[in-house]
Amino acid sequence: MQDIFLQGSKKLIREELILAKAKKLIASTLHLDSAVEFSESSRTALDSSNNEQQLFDHLNEKYKCSKAGEIHISIEGRTAQFKWILPVVVQEAEELHKQALAHAKNKDYAKAITLWIKAISLNPVDPDYYFNAGIAFFEQNNYREAIDNLDYALQLCPIYYKASLILGTVYLKLRKFEKSENHLRESIAFNHENTLALLNLATASSVLKKYDDGIIIFKKIAEINPNEVRAYFGMAKIYSLQNKITEANECYHKVVDIDPKGPLAAHAKRLIIADKSATKELKKSAEINLASYQNLDEVFSEAYSAYLFSDYKLSADLYKKYVSTKSDDEQAWYSFGEASLRCGALETALNAFQKAIDLNPSKALYFKQAALCLDMLNRYDDALNYIQKAHQKGKNDSVTLMLLGKIYLRHNQFDKAVEFLQQAIKRNKQNISAEYYLAKVYAKQGLVDQASEHLYWIINSKIKTPLKTKAEKLLNEIKQT
């Protein structure tokens, strides 16, 4: 769950980096009711039963400046207005700050950091410099420096709630969930409708097994944005952990209803727990009355479960029933293809992958799997066309590179075959198939020593594979020439 809700954090951070500007005055509004709701340490002190002076005294103590600057607080009703006065503005430092922002906008974080460090040397009490440097360090995955800079920004300006948000995000990334939770709560007290902060807080609370808190926060997100599928997916995961199957399924169905083609919809359909077993019905009869199912996603879930337990025939049969009714579901066609491929039904698998491609021709994975089927069907020209499209659309994994090399070998394009097979091995040093086909290319080119080296490696490998027998045969053929 953590990784799913971190999606979007980088985008927000980049936006903050672009928009942040040096200020002589930093102002923010604390919503006292939100602070009561989200800040455990201030819950009693900020209760509405306290008078204005008691509220002021608590806030003045909590947010007092110990490093630099002056803080001014005014309370009106259930809101507190804060103003932090930047004590020193150095024009040369400001100019460096502007240059750093421009470099950061172009993702040249190293140059930006260098400029912010120079700005800090000229004016070490401006929190903007530390805040932006912290974000840039985060972009470089230098989390220690990110934390140090963001933390110091808060020491200088305790109301810099954006720094609390990014700190909470960094700690979530580092799986330091309690620290993440504390910083996110502090940020939300100032900005109580920030969806990203709320999502990350709900995630941290869930991991800490504060399930009731997690549900409350996810529900709050859904109230703010009824189409935020991550909120319903998060609730579903918690309900599943609590064995509240009905509530979990309702939330999973909500994910699918809101964004049926989104990435979370595919996960949700797999995780739905069926009330009625299509598996039992299918085992009794070749026909399933799909109309008797409250939701077809339950059939999808059972098909996925069968696949996980290696019952590929059952999985393929269930997916086949599913797509016979929901023929516009690309994920279902892809899954049907995968199950059929595992069963050795190559034509059926190829047809399913092509259906998925028709529905979403931008998905590189579908072209890759279709190419795999075509290669196994000895349709090498078509296989080359499909695997090239997969590669052009972004597929660059070891298997794709191996398949490219293998098909180029079939077409006697040895130089290209060597290029892609070497890349495949570089990406995965345990790719036995790439080693074998590279040896075949070298043998075709008359490079006996290179071919033998790769074949010996396969034969002596601890990996169990039928390619060892083929490698021994090819090695004997080379020795006899």
Side-chain angles (χ1 to χ4, degrees), residues 56-72:
F56 178 87
D57 290 342
H58 171 75
L59 295 174
N60 192 48
E61 177 63 26
K62 181 174 181 179
Y63 295 104
K64 67 181 179 181
C65 300
S66 59
K67 296 286 185 182
E70 296 179 358
I71 195 91
H72 298 273

Side-chain angles (χ1 to χ4, degrees), residues 24 55 67 85 87 94 115 118 180 193 206 210 247 272 335 358 389 416 428 439 449 454:
K24 292 181 180 179
L55 295 172
K67 296 286 185 182
I85 308 300
E94 286 294 283
L115 291 168
K118 288 181 180 179
S180 174
E193 292 193 351
S206 301
K210 298 179 180 180
E247 292 88 341
I272 291 168
S335 300
D358 290 341
K389 287 183 178 178
K416 285 188 175 181
N428 178 9
D449 290 342
H454 287 279

Side-chain angles (χ1 to χ4, degrees), residues 330-378:
E330 65 176 90
Q331 181 65 39
W333 281 111
Y334 166 74
S335 300
F336 179 31
E338 285 289 340
S340 299
L341 182 59
R342 294 277 185 166
C343 293
L346 297 179
E347 291 287 359
T348 301
L350 176 60
N351 179 66
F353 292 135
Q354 287 176 325
K355 290 282 190 182
I357 290 169
D358 290 341
L359 291 166
N360 185 1
S362 66
K363 192 86 168 183
L365 177 60
Y366 302 161
F367 284 92
K368 172 189 170 183
Q369 296 306 98
L372 185 63
C373 292
L374 289 163
D375 178 66
M376 296 172 73
L377 289 166
N378 300 326

Side-chain angles (χ1 to χ4, degrees), residues 390-441:
H391 191 241
Q392 291 164 3
K393 293 175 185 293
K395 268 293 171 187
N396 203 33
D397 59 282
S398 184
V399 174
T400 298
L401 295 169
M402 180 278 297
L403 199 52
L404 268 166
K406 177 185 176 183
I407 296 172
Y408 277 125
L409 168 61
R410 299 276 193 190
H411 285 78
N412 294 320
Q413 297 184 42
F414 300 138
D415 290 342
K416 285 188 175 181
V418 169
E419 176 189 347
F420 286 108
L421 290 167
Q422 286 178 339
Q423 288 181 32
I425 294 168
K426 187 175 181 180
R427 286 194 171 273
N428 178 9
K429 297 187 185 302
Q430 302 301 313
N431 190 331
I432 300 289
S433 294
E435 292 278 356
Y436 175 73
Y437 290 112
L438 184 56
K440 288 195 72 171
V441 177

Side-chain angles (χ1 to χ4, degrees), residues 239-300:
Y239 284 136
S240 295
L241 290 169
Q242 294 177 321
N243 203 31
K244 296 180 178 179
I245 305 304
T246 301
E247 292 88 341
N249 281 351
E250 286 176 358
C251 290
Y252 284 134
H253 288 314
K254 192 75 174 176
V255 172
V256 178
D257 292 341
I258 293 172
D259 189 15
K261 294 187 180 297
L264 284 182
H267 291 293
K269 285 191 287 189
R270 293 167 185 161
L271 294 169
I272 291 168
I273 300 172
D275 293 326
K276 181 178 180 179
S277 175
T279 299
K280 290 181 180 178
E281 189 174 345
L282 187 61
K283 286 183 176 179
K284 292 178 182 178
S285 170
E287 295 298 324
I288 296 179
N289 181 15
L290 294 179
S292 66
Y293 287 83
Q294 292 184 353
N295 197 304
L296 276 175
D297 294 332
E298 295 178 2
V299 178
F300 187 104

